[in-house]
Amino acid sequence: MPLPPDTGSLNVGSFWEESVGSIQEDPKLFGEAAFDFAIVGAGFTGLSAAIALTGAGASVCILEAGRVGWGASGRNGGFCCLGGSKLSDRQMVRRYGLDQARAYFDYQCEAIEAVSNRLESYQIEADRHSHGEIYLAHRPSDFAGFAEEARFLDDSYGIKARVLSPGDLRTEGIAGPEFHGGLHVPVGFALNPMKYVQGLARKARARGVRIYARSPATGIEPALDGAWSLKTPEGTVRAGKVILAGNAYAREDTPAWLKGRLFPVMSSILVTRPLTDAELSDQGWTSDLMASDTRTLLHYFRLLPDRRFLFGTRGGLFETQSSLSRMHAAARDDFDRMFPAWRGVETSHAWYGHVCLTRDLVPYVGPVPRMDGVFAAMAWHGSGIAMASLSGEKLAELALGRIGQDSLPQAITAPPRKFPLPALRGAYLQGAYWWYALQDR
């Protein structure tokens, strides 16, 4: 992802930007400044960490390449849900054992509850809706496994999931020609992510956090007194400790430790104009549940409170205009096929962003090796609203010395390994997309 332009608009064309109206522009950093903590990235992770740190009396600044919500925190689909890893529940059990798999699941639930509590206590109106999420089988064989999955969730985590037949789906207003049944997991909710992240920024500013927009961290070097020096194009910050919260929008050379450890992949979203009662009835979709299908290259979608329909896809390799146009056209083709009654409904907004993966397909929350006083939280694998929010708080507690990493689930405590031949990540992503598309048929 290139850095945002130094002049002109930072808008990415999302519906979320339009929904919040004007977005406060924080000042750029000029000259020298000193703080107890410097945070790189003004998204869910960085703002959550900043709020927690100021609650402990620390002085905090945030260096942001764009503006609040310019990265994934303002571009995502608004699913505050389970996730953070690309491992299935059973894969998590095989790798870490049942107790640690439960610890990770509990962490996800704690993260969702943390966002819910913030919306209430910070008085953020973020268009919350949806009781949980429904997974829709795009093949009959996928539906056949839902009953066992429901038993596993109940036996392992105490979650009472519902299995819905195709007839049940139609009754509940979740109709489509490619849906062969569903699994409703009653955990999580949907929201407007831009309203949420801007609400966090208002809280941070009120706590005294200095947010510097259009001020990318271009270098992090040790200072003579044991502190850290962070350079921006027109300024420098000296800080006792540093938190890296850029996720898929981080520069790989800031610090050099990041190089080759993260894998940003593209996700695109379209939003329709508001749908009429007749159009909703014709398609048979009236539910406000968050939904996704069972493809590896999944689709995710939901009906918004104003009756627009949001539809997201994975895929896309290059950020040229022609490649982006093809990606958005492919997403629209998928939408028309999956929701044929809306084939003629106009797309009012279309945009894209980056999802952050690691080699081990799990997030990381902890110290940066061999950089004393530098900490990182990253790699939410496409489900970052809840996980980033809680992990930002946990990272602040780690940096303050209030907790140790042993208080976190084992799955998120191992520093991400480098990808093999990282310069070729784009090439083998293309191969993976071809293979996943074949498997998804």
Side-chain angles (χ1 to χ4, degrees), residues 226-285:
W228 292 92
S229 177
L230 291 84
K231 298 185 183 301
T232 72
E234 294 170 280
T236 303
V237 170
R238 177 191 165 280
K241 294 183 179 180
V242 176
I243 286 177
L244 305 178
N247 204 35
Y249 292 78
R251 291 172 56 116
E252 284 207 327
D253 59 352
T254 310
W257 172 80
L258 281 175
K259 190 171 183 64
R261 299 181 191 274
L262 303 180
F263 198 160
V265 300
M266 293 169 69
S267 186
S268 68
I269 294 176
L270 66 82
V271 169
T272 71
R273 61 158 171 78
L275 297 161
T276 66
D277 289 341
E279 287 168 331
L280 294 173
S281 178
D282 288 345
Q283 178 56 51
W285 190 290

